[in-house]
Amino acid sequence: MEELKSTESVKPLPKKTGGFKKFVRWFTFLLLLSLGLFVYWKYFYTYSDGYRSGLLQKLSHKGNIFKTYEGELVQRSIVSTNNVGIASEKFYFSVANDSVAKAMQNLEGKNVKLHYLQKNGTLPWRGESPYIVDAVQVDNNP
């Protein structure tokens, strides 16, 4: 009888997790969290947005695997007295939305005002440029 009583009073100790396993779990969690934040910042975070206006010179649908719309907008820097642009700068952009691209195809060769989002990095299915145009309108002030 005494033997039974002595075995009942002994309680098993809780299983202690190793310090190394805990470290690996936290390290993996922090690594995945920082990797997720970096991918979000690099490819999905909008660094800036704004408007550019000028002559819509080109819009093409190109790509080997992912077909994207790529375009050029010619901006006049210096204007002469005849309202002709002497110095110009090209603004290269991508269009991710098909309906915006269709509207832009009808406006080639005209003065337009584009609204763009600037990303920190490019994705193959979004286009070659970090500038993504999401709206277009005819610019009545050339």
Side-chain angles (χ1 to χ4, degrees):
M1 287 250 171
E2 290 183 24
E3 292 176 14
L4 291 175
K5 288 182 181 178
S6 65
T7 57
E8 289 177 12
S9 63
V10 176
K11 295 181 182 177
L13 295 173
K15 192 170 185 178
K16 189 175 182 183
T17 58
F20 183 72
K21 285 183 182 180
K22 196 174 186 180
F23 169 76
V24 169
R25 283 188 202 134
W26 275 105
F27 180 76
T28 305
F29 172 73
L30 292 175
L31 182 69
L32 290 175
L33 181 67
S34 61
L35 181 67
L37 288 172
F38 174 76
V39 168
Y40 173 77
W41 174 80
K42 182 74 175 169
Y43 299 110
F44 298 101
Y45 175 74
T46 300
Y47 175 71
S48 72
D49 66 327
Y51 291 93
R52 299 265 178 126
S53 62
L55 178 71
L56 182 59
Q57 181 173 349
K58 175 180 144 183
L59 184 70
S60 62
H61 192 226
K62 65 180 185 176
N64 291 320
I65 296 173
F66 299 103
K67 295 285 188 185
T68 59
Y69 291 97
E70 306 296 325
E72 290 179 10
L73 183 77
V74 178
Q75 299 175 290
R76 296 182 295 178
S77 307
I78 302 171
V79 180
S80 69
T81 55
N82 300 349
N83 204 18
V84 176
I86 297 173
S88 63
E89 178 182 334
K90 287 187 180 180
F91 173 65
Y92 298 99
F93 60 89
S94 299
V95 181
N97 191 338
D98 288 338
S99 62
V100 174
K102 299 285 186 227
M104 291 177 79
Q105 286 175 343
N106 297 328
L107 297 174
E108 275 188 73
K110 296 182 180 165
N111 285 318
V112 295
K113 184 176 179 182
L114 305 177
H115 181 264
Y116 69 91
L117 304 171
Q118 183 183 1
K119 305 293 184 180
N120 289 321
T122 62
L123 291 169
W125 55 86
R126 199 168 55 194
E128 296 177 356
S129 172
Y131 297 100
I132 311 298
V133 171
D134 61 354
V136 60
Q137 63 186 20
V138 177
D139 189 13
N140 296 327
N141 302 328

